[in-house]
Amino acid sequence: IIDSPDGTSPFVNMYLVEGSEKAVLIDAGLSRDDLAGYVKTLTNKPIEVIITHGHVDHIMCADQFDKVYMSHSDVSVVNSGPGLKHLDTSKFIDLQGGEVFDLGGYKLEIIAFPGHTYGSIVILDRERQYLFASDSIGSGELWMQLDHSTSMEEYVIEIKRFEKQIEGLNQLKVLLGHDCLMEQKPDIQYIIDTRITAENIVSGEMKGAEIDGDKPQYLGAYSAKYGQINIIYAPDNIFIKK
């Protein structure tokens, strides 16, 4: 795990996975430090970067690497993001889900997971039962209130589809994008809690409460809590728009 603090926000987790032939860096942090130089002190293998979604805190140093993968569904998120004008998204290799990265004795499977953003992905090590989830199921708090988040109804469809893809992985260990926000290491139950909360918001069983405060990212947003998860959502973006 590599942490990327900016002095004000919670630490952003990046993950370096090394096989016998190459290494993959999952996400590229928030600071403008020499991330590539630091990663080279950790591995002598060729390094490729997989970006889980286009938010500024997960992509800032992507331009320091030659080969970067990201869903092109998040290009607009990057191009409109604060402080990201230095990134040339035309050089990013598209991810659509279903790709497998063979690092040499270590395989990483890309799973599309629209929700937090339309281009969000998660990365699964099926053999060792590690899930690199970034912000797709949040870090104790899942942001679904953004103007580039899917509706809650769409998210329920996606998380149910995802649960089918991980059936039988009962020892799954979930590695988050902001691990410091979790008081315990999440497992399969965390995913179940997230799905139940989302389902209850859509069904109306869980109403949520409007968030007090003047932080712009929370204005007009509601909060619904269940188990280990707190979903932040927009009350006008619960259902798929016909």
Side-chain angles (χ1 to χ4, degrees), residues 68-96:
V68 179
Y69 296 83
M70 185 191 78
S71 168
H72 283 184
S73 295
D74 268 11
V75 164
S76 61
V77 177
V78 177
N79 290 344
S80 62
L84 296 179
K85 299 300 182 185
H86 62 286
L87 295 179
D88 182 359
T89 54
S90 69
K91 296 181 179 180
F92 291 179
I93 303 166
D94 189 25
L95 291 174
Q96 297 185 355

Side-chain angles (χ1 to χ4, degrees), residues 5-54:
D6 76 337
T8 58
S9 300
F11 281 81
V12 181
N13 286 7
M14 296 170 281
Y15 298 91
L16 182 67
V17 185
E18 184 183 54
S20 61
E21 297 178 8
K22 61 182 178 180
V24 158
L25 177 67
I26 300 172
D27 283 339
L30 180 58
S31 77
R32 286 297 290 153
D33 294 335
D34 183 11
L35 177 61
Y38 176 71
V39 172
K40 288 176 182 176
T41 69
L42 304 177
T43 179
N44 60 3
K45 304 293 192 304
I47 301 163
E48 298 179 1
V49 175
I50 301 175
I51 300 297
T52 59
H53 64 293

Side-chain angles (χ1 to χ4, degrees), residues 197-216:
T197 309
E199 286 180 316
N200 287 344
I201 292 169
V202 172
S203 70
E205 183 176 337
M206 190 175 286
K207 299 294 185 182
E210 187 170 4
I211 299 175
D212 293 328
D214 56 1
K215 290 185 177 181

Side-chain angles (χ1 to χ4, degrees), residues 172-187:
L172 192 70
K173 295 166 281 292
V174 183
L175 303 172
L176 302 172
H178 304 273
D179 181 73
C180 62
L181 298 182
M182 291 293 294
E183 294 180 356
Q184 58 188 14
K185 295 298 183 182
D187 55 17

Side-chain angles (χ1 to χ4, degrees), residues 124-135:
L124 178 64
D125 172 3
R126 192 174 292 274
E127 181 181 350
R128 296 169 179 80
Q129 296 199 39
Y130 282 105
L131 177 70
F132 301 91
S134 189
D135 291 355

Side-chain angles (χ1 to χ4, degrees), residues 93 109 229:
I93 303 166
E109 177 184 344
I229 188 69

